[in-house]
Amino acid sequence: MDQHGRKVHHPPSSYQNHKRNKDYESVSVNPEHKRVRQSHPPHHGGSPPVSSASPCRALSTRRQLYEKDFPVYKQPVEVGSFSLDGERRFFNDARQMRYFVKPHPRPNFDLRDGYKDRFVKRDDGVKEKLDHILRWILANRSKLQSSVSAASSSPALGVDIVTWRGHLTKLLTTPYETQEGWLLAATLFRGTLYISEVETEASRHDRDNRTERHEEMMYWGYKFEQYLCADDIKGSPNPVGVVNTNEAFCTVVQTKLADHKLLFSGEVDCRDGGPEAPAAPACYIELKTSAEICTPKQRSNFHRFKLLKWWAQSFLPGVPRIVAGFRDPDGLVVGTETIQISKISHLIKNEYNCWKPTVCMNFCCEFLSFVRTVVREDNPRVVHLFSWDPHQDVTYSVHRDTTYCFLPPWYVEGMASSSNPPH
Ligand code: 0WD
Ligand code: CA
């Protein structure tokens, strides 16, 4: 991989040279970068992202509209973590944390090993929505609320948006996505907007019609993790153990994208357990597998498609590096490589008409502004369903007391019995 380290996607005006991680703004919002809610014209002409014919009804996803300065994105801060065990039970601790063990430069990992006889697969028909994050919030409410100002206009939790990192990843990649649409449900409750994904018909169809080969290849990523992770800081990986995809360690981070205060959680594969390792989330390592790159065309596709998703997923929580395993068609890992997230924008620079980090971040920011403008009724029983299909605008519909409701009664009641009365 390329070893140059120049940042190309962060404008000088929001770039803090003295900060250790230069990809993130870590001071308060620079007014120059504050997004004016939804009706301002874009820098490059054309129509504004929000359709002017019918104000607030649709949001454009055209890339050109988002080719502006990189928005202020504060360095993500880990505010907690939680674990899900082999039976998908929630624990308000880091018991599922795993430790990275550096692989041999030319490993011979067989990713097919254990698929038939040592694999416990999570039931992906069970929709957990935001439940694990909500459980974490209830258990750690005092931590979050302690930083809330007394201003009556501020949300009770002190954040504007609560969601999964994976949902934000989908938003970041939307301007470049040509295959899969999405449905995102949004509910405003006590001043905080909760965003939870709803499975599309197409995604449900794909899930119900996976080939045996596809099912097996989905296992390969988890098997790779098992080859590189130890359960204990001084332990070794156990490749003869069972792979159980119910198990997860999730970080909870807080950050700010322009004027949106975000709280989100994401699954983390492992951490660097060495004595020099930085504090979380900078110590975390994302593990990935990908097909071996043999031709210039394959390299170009890797840069254009895979690195976009990898970058978006890790940039959001401030995970600084990916360890990638390149495998042959039989699932044998032929090499591994460390990819620094901060160097990805440089790696892709020579690709013609390639994706741009600023477009991803600006679109996400505008989408959140759009949602906050549209969703005004503070009511856990109201869902605004935002819908997007490739080559279309984002549109929405409103649903009251339907199965789209995703804030469970235990959460709504738990928040009501909070020591802080509603504003
Ligand atoms: O039930 C649901 N519909 C959802 C469940 C929606 C969103 C999240 N979740 C759960 C996942 O099961 C997982 O525990 O949240 C956790 C992950 O959330 P995330 O970090 O926001 O998701 P994402 O960034 O898309 O995925 C991170 C990792 C994946 O790693 P790779 O390297 O493949 O991107 O989480 C795992 C997977 O290892 N993962 C899942 N594991 C089991 N079932 C799933 C899933 N549906 N999605 C992601
Ligand atoms: Ca992974």
Side-chain angles (χ1 to χ4, degrees):
M1 285 294 158
D2 201 307
Q3 291 306 303
H4 306 284
R6 256 182 43 214
K7 309 296 180 298
V8 292
H9 63 264
H10 216 120
S13 55
S14 62
Y15 190 91
Q16 301 291 295
N17 268 322
H18 58 283
K19 301 296 174 201
R20 194 181 59 207
N21 189 335
K22 300 189 186 77
D23 283 329
Y24 302 97
E25 178 67 81
S26 49
V27 293
S28 58
V29 175
N30 176 346
E32 275 181 21
H33 292 281
K34 254 190 174 159
R35 299 270 82 84
V36 178
R37 289 273 168 81
Q38 85 168 5
S39 57
H40 69 292
H43 290 190
H44 298 279
S47 55
V50 176
S51 162
S52 51
S54 177
C56 305
R57 294 300 301 185
L59 178 73
S60 172
T61 62
R62 282 180 54 224
R63 296 165 201 173
Q64 301 88 321
L65 297 173
Y66 303 98
E67 293 200 359
K68 304 182 279 192
D69 285 351
F70 200 86
V72 170
Y73 190 61
K74 273 182 46 163
Q75 175 116 33
V77 173
E78 181 175 77
V79 292
S81 58
F82 60 85
S83 296
L84 305 174
D85 74 1
E87 293 168 52
R88 209 65 184 166
R89 288 177 301 206
F90 173 93
F91 293 90
N92 186 28
D93 57 39
R95 67 183 66 192
Q96 294 289 351
M97 166 89 80
R98 292 180 299 175
Y99 298 85
F100 177 71
V101 178
K102 200 173 159 47
H104 187 275
R106 297 202 64 81
N108 238 317
F109 301 149
D110 177 4
L111 302 180
R112 306 177 82 160
D113 179 50
Y115 175 65
K116 288 277 183 235
D117 58 327
R118 301 193 318 281
F119 178 29
V120 177
K121 186 178 180 291
R122 189 185 89 94
D123 180 354
D124 52 16
V126 176
K127 299 304 171 201
E128 300 172 321
K129 300 175 248 191
L130 299 185
D131 289 5
H132 299 307
I133 302 179
L134 304 181
R135 251 183 260 286
W136 181 88
I137 291 174
L138 278 188
N140 296 276
R141 213 166 27 175
S142 52
K143 256 201 249 181
L144 287 171
Q145 286 170 338
S146 62
S147 58
V148 179
S149 77
S152 61
S153 61
S154 62
L157 271 185
V159 296
D160 301 312
I161 315 270
V162 168
T163 192
W164 279 108
R165 175 269 307 273
H167 303 354
L168 295 173
T169 306
K170 283 200 176 167
L171 289 170
L172 259 64
T173 58
T174 294
Y176 298 105
E177 178 62 49
T178 59
Q179 307 291 317
E180 289 172 18
W182 46 250
L183 288 170
L184 290 169
T187 290
L188 185 62
F189 175 54
R190 293 179 152 233
T192 296
L193 195 64
Y194 295 80
I195 299 178
S196 177
E197 187 172 34
V198 172
E199 190 171 40
T200 63
E201 286 287 330
S203 159
R204 171 74 201 254
H205 179 270
D206 291 351
R207 185 163 61 80
D208 288 342
N209 293 280
R210 285 182 201 133
T211 61
E212 179 52 32
R213 165 96 179 155
H214 187 182
E215 284 286 347
E216 184 181 332
M217 287 176 75
M218 288 175 67
Y219 166 80
W220 293 1
Y222 296 103
K223 184 65 189 175
F224 181 62
E225 293 173 10
Q226 191 192 51
Y227 279 115
L228 297 188
C229 297
D231 289 342
D232 306 297
I233 192 157
K234 291 194 162 60
S236 307
N238 175 21
V240 296
V242 170
V243 169
N244 183 336
T245 59
N246 288 298
E247 295 176 4
F249 167 75
C250 295
T251 179
V252 182
V253 302
Q254 218 174 308
T255 183
K256 201 168 171 189
L257 171 58
D259 58 354
H260 309 296
K261 283 188 196 155
L262 313 178
L263 178 82
F264 59 86
S265 176
E267 190 174 326
V268 167
D269 293 327
C270 57
R271 63 165 290 160
D272 177 348
E276 309 280 277
C283 61
Y284 293 143
I285 302 171
E286 173 64 36
L287 305 178
K288 293 285 186 202
T289 57
S290 196
E292 186 184 4
I293 296 168
C294 304
T295 68
K297 179 73 183 164
Q298 287 169 343
R299 176 163 301 273
S300 175
N301 283 338
F302 175 75
H303 287 163
R304 302 175 82 84
F305 305 110
K306 202 147 259 188
L307 279 187
L308 164 60
K309 300 214 163 150
W310 290 8
W311 171 82
Q313 184 188 40
S314 288
F315 179 78
L316 280 163
V319 171
R321 59 190 164 132
I322 294 172
V323 172
F326 292 94
R327 47 105 193 134
D328 71 14
D330 297 326
L332 291 177
V333 174
V334 293
T336 61
E337 220 161 326
T338 299
I339 302 172
Q340 302 293 336
I341 300 303
S342 62
K343 292 181 180 169
I344 289 179
S345 61
H346 191 76
L347 282 177
I348 62 168
K349 241 178 31 180
N350 293 330
E351 296 293 342
Y352 173 72
N353 200 15
C354 200
W355 60 275
K356 296 187 175 80
T358 196
V359 168
C360 302
M361 295 302 281
N362 279 313
F363 172 73
C364 181
C365 190
E366 298 283 359
F367 173 78
L368 297 178
S369 298
F370 178 58
V371 176
R372 290 177 69 188
T373 305
V374 165
V375 183
R376 291 295 185 180
E377 186 177 343
D378 197 302
N379 183 343
R381 288 157 47 172
V382 173
V383 166
H384 284 70
L385 189 62
F386 291 82
S387 166
W388 178 73
D389 281 309
H391 315 295
Q392 308 289 318
D393 288 350
V394 178
T395 58
Y396 67 89
S397 51
V398 191
H399 306 263
R400 202 172 286 270
D401 290 318
T402 66
T403 51
Y404 288 124
C405 288
F406 61 87
L407 290 182
W410 55 259
Y411 183 71
V412 173
E413 286 151 23
M415 289 297 280
S417 63
S418 148
S419 50
N420 283 21
H423 56 263

